[in-house]
Amino acid sequence: LSTTIQPSEISTDGEFFATGSTDGLVRLWDAATGQVLREMQHGAAINSVAFSFEGRLLASAGEDRLVQRQGAGEAAAHRRHGDVGLGAQ
């Protein structure tokens, strides 16, 4: 199986970017290092991702016609303390 990264979004502060993919995963990345900070399962191929204005929430919309939101701020806080947990939460 292969996956394609489709939509992407950069946080308003430029510290993070998010991607969605055909495998239903939303990934939160550190813009400076290019490392994945967190992976979140949406459940269907992702059509769109967007950060809230303050950058604390990340929304994803999928082919299942659902919009889900995740806390992006938690991963940011972990990154700043050097302890990033991966996995859907």
Side-chain angles (χ1 to χ4, degrees):
L1 294 176
S2 66
T3 186
T4 303
I5 294 176
Q6 297 177 326
S8 62
E9 174 81 5
I10 299 173
S11 63
T12 55
D13 61 9
E15 288 188 44
F16 308 100
F17 67 96
T19 59
S21 57
T22 56
D23 63 2
L25 286 177
V26 176
R27 292 176 178 90
L28 181 66
W29 303 77
D30 182 307
T33 66
Q35 290 185 312
V36 175
L37 300 175
R38 188 170 175 199
E39 291 182 335
M40 298 155 276
Q41 182 66 47
H42 181 96
I46 308 299
N47 294 327
S48 180
V49 293
F51 284 98
S52 61
F53 179 76
E54 72 283 344
R56 293 183 348 156
L57 296 175
L58 177 61
S60 60
E63 288 187 6
D64 55 3
R65 297 185 176 189
L66 295 175
V67 174
Q68 295 183 15
R69 64 184 176 135
Q70 305 281 339
E74 180 179 316
H78 285 292
R79 181 188 68 91
R80 290 189 181 102
H81 292 95
D83 178 27
V84 177
L86 296 178
Q89 295 184 3

